[in-house]
Amino acid sequence: MNAVQTLLAQQPTDFQTLNIGDTSKLQFHHWIVDTTIEHDHELFSGALKVSMQEVMIALKDEAHLLVGSVIPDYEGPSVPNSIYPEGFSAKTFIQRIETDFIWRQTMEAQKQPNARLFSFGYESI
């Protein structure tokens, strides 16, 4: 993270191809993305450790994959079709990862096998 911040300060034109605009207003989130789920959502030297599986499910918006792999006996009324019901955004993606949203929703569904996955408060999928 320090290296990217230094590069942005020293060579901001190198990042113009990313179309990120004013680099002085960027917010940085640093994660350790690992192939295991062990120690998920613990901090290591200030970096949040998350699993590759969680990141890929969130990036691809593949909530339906949780039903067959993480919750094999799910018998809820519907299969979730999106973890972004109002559309994907980088801000929402970061929020979903940093709040442990995917696994919390999965664990809640395991406690109540007939409940809907991914209840958002204003709408259930």
Side-chain angles (χ1 to χ4, degrees):
M1 188 171 82
N2 290 337
V4 172
Q5 288 175 316
T6 301
L7 280 172
L8 281 170
Q10 293 174 352
Q11 303 168 1
T13 56
D14 290 349
F15 291 86
Q16 287 178 346
T17 58
L18 297 176
N19 197 25
I20 54 178
D22 184 0
T23 58
S24 68
K25 296 181 181 179
L26 290 177
Q27 292 182 350
F28 288 87
H29 301 261
H30 58 286
W31 304 333
I32 299 168
V33 181
D34 193 4
T35 56
T36 69
I37 60 171
E38 294 175 341
H39 302 287
D40 249 16
H41 292 270
E42 291 182 22
L43 294 176
F44 295 90
S45 298
L48 180 67
K49 190 274 180 193
V50 296
S51 70
M52 175 70 80
Q53 181 181 13
E54 178 181 9
V55 171
M56 295 306 294
I57 288 169
L59 276 175
K60 294 180 177 183
D61 193 13
E62 294 181 329
H64 64 280
L65 293 179
L66 297 173
V67 175
S69 60
V70 179
I71 312 175
D73 299 329
Y74 179 73
E75 297 177 3
S78 65
V79 174
N81 59 9
S82 178
I83 58 176
Y84 307 102
E86 294 184 349
F88 179 88
S89 71
K91 182 178 180 178
T92 306
F93 166 72
I94 291 167
Q95 182 268 334
R96 296 290 192 250
I97 297 295
E98 292 186 348
T99 62
D100 199 16
F101 176 84
I102 292 172
W103 299 135
R104 283 187 299 108
Q105 293 295 317
T106 302
M107 299 310 290
E108 188 61 34
Q110 285 179 329
K111 291 178 194 174
Q112 303 170 10
N114 292 323
R116 292 178 182 263
L117 269 178
F118 298 97
S119 172
F120 294 93
Y122 56 88
E123 175 185 356
S124 292
I125 298 175

